[in-house]
Amino acid sequence: MEKKSYNEFVREQRIPFSDYVSGKRTLNSIDDVIVIDRAKYAGNVGSILRHMPILGGQVLFLTDSSTDSPNLPGNKSDANTPRYGRNFVKEVLRVSMAFTRTEFPTTLCIAGSLLEVVEFLKTRGGFRMVSFENREVFEEINTGARARLSRLRENYHNERNSVYNSIVDFDSLYNSPLIGDFSQRMALVFGGESGGLPAEVIKKCQHGIYIPSLLDNYENGSSNKVNDITEVDQTASNVAIPAISGTKILEKAYTYNLSIAVTIVLSERMRRRMSTNITDQGLIQEDKSHCN
């Protein structure tokens, strides 16, 4: 059988969202899905796609929420230059190594409306919807007060009555029991590199999760100074952690790189799966043959 050209491969891998809506394609009953809104860099998306199959992700949905509210400031888009054009997709697939690593199936779905994807996965797909943002985003939605490091989309701040009218349940990635709950598949929803998720979408998700950082520990610790921590911490196992002194946390570097954030979440979900000795079709099973 003659091998397909790379251009043919790209055409086949660029799956339209309508295939899932119509039932032409279906989602399996085991693995999670990833939703990324307004992704900017193909390299980040390609890296996520590269790691998804080995960490329990089945489909990566790329959305553009600017199509949901095109008249809001910052949401102007040119119909002649779609966000996820052919060159973008080709670079994503090149970075993912999908063309050469055929043993790792990857599925990239190009969708327009973020709201439509969220509603589809939540109602028809039966996924538990979980949004991922920094802690200040969830605090801002719950209190209505602008947070210093919040990534909440600026164009929603003029609609406070519709945005700040419900409480979002959120937790740290490492404290959340949902990350270790495999009774239901998850749809993991992330904002892009240049802006956070719309508050409307965060509220449509059943839960919010943030990834802790050093800044979280500094601000919640015994010292009131973010940039002058000298106290030595102790873990539960009494292993000393060296003190960090004079470290300056840059606010613009507070959020994780998109591909790193998604991989951290998928990896933690995999760790919980293995630690609770859950197996998926015999593919994921902790090797204890070396134990006595």
Side-chain angles (χ1 to χ4, degrees), residues 240-258:
I241 298 177
I244 301 175
S245 179
T247 301
K248 183 178 181 181
I249 304 298
L250 301 176
E251 293 187 5
K252 287 189 177 181
Y254 180 40
T255 56
Y256 291 84
N257 168 272
L258 177 61

Side-chain angles (χ1 to χ4, degrees), residues 81-285:
T81 56
R83 184 178 294 271
Y84 307 120
R86 178 178 175 79
N87 289 338
F88 184 95
V89 173
K90 287 182 69 173
E91 180 63 10
V92 166
L93 294 174
R94 184 193 70 79
V95 174
S96 74
M97 301 176 67
F99 186 60
T100 56
R101 298 176 66 91
T102 56
E103 69 273 24
F104 292 117
T106 56
T107 303
L108 178 66
C109 177
I110 307 299
S113 168
L114 172 61
L115 288 174
E116 288 181 6
V117 171
V118 168
E119 286 295 334
F120 172 81
L121 294 173
K122 185 176 181 179
T123 57
R124 289 180 54 183
F127 284 83
R128 177 184 285 127
M129 307 301 300
V130 183
S131 62
F132 290 83
E133 271 296 351
N134 62 7
R135 188 191 68 212
E136 287 76 14
V137 166
F138 301 117
E139 291 176 345
E140 180 177 344
I141 292 176
N142 288 347
T143 65
R146 179 63 171 163
R148 181 168 58 96
L149 295 174
S150 175
R151 276 165 36 99
L152 190 62
R153 290 272 292 280
E154 290 292 343
N155 51 26
Y156 281 79
H157 281 283
N158 294 327
E159 302 178 1
R160 288 185 175 273
N161 291 335
S162 62
V163 171
Y164 303 104
N165 61 1
S166 63
I167 299 299
V168 176
D169 180 31
F170 72 96
D171 204 347
S172 160
L173 173 68
Y174 303 114
N175 291 334
S176 174
L178 286 181
I179 294 297
D181 183 354
F182 301 95
S183 62
Q184 186 178 4
R185 297 169 298 172
M186 276 190 183
L188 315 176
V189 186
F190 293 82
E193 300 92 337
S194 298
L197 289 168
E200 182 180 1
V201 170
I202 293 174
K203 293 194 301 178
K204 285 182 178 294
C205 295
Q206 289 108 320
H207 196 72
I209 289 178
Y210 68 92
I211 304 174
S213 70
L214 280 174
L215 188 57
D216 291 317
N217 294 331
Y218 288 169
E219 292 185 329
N220 295 324
S222 59
S223 173
N224 292 325
K225 295 183 179 180
V226 173
N227 297 328
D228 186 19
I229 302 300
T230 57
E231 185 175 336
V232 176
D233 192 11
Q234 300 284 330
T235 65
S237 58
N238 294 322
V239 177
I241 298 177
I244 301 175
S245 179
T247 301
K248 183 178 181 181
I249 304 298
L250 301 176
E251 293 187 5
K252 287 189 177 181
Y254 180 40
T255 56
Y256 291 84
N257 168 272
L258 177 61
S259 64
I260 298 298
V262 176
T263 306
I264 287 173
V265 172
L266 287 174
S267 180
E268 175 63 11
R269 186 123 160 100
M270 172 68 77
R271 187 191 70 81
R272 300 274 193 101
R273 186 192 299 273
M274 297 181 72
S275 66
T276 53
N277 203 27
I278 292 179
T279 61
D280 284 350
Q281 296 181 341
L283 296 177
I284 304 173
Q285 187 167 3

Side-chain angles (χ1 to χ4, degrees), residues 274 285-292:
M274 297 181 72
Q285 187 167 3
E286 193 171 6
D287 183 9
K288 296 185 177 181
S289 59
H290 61 283
C291 301
N292 294 327

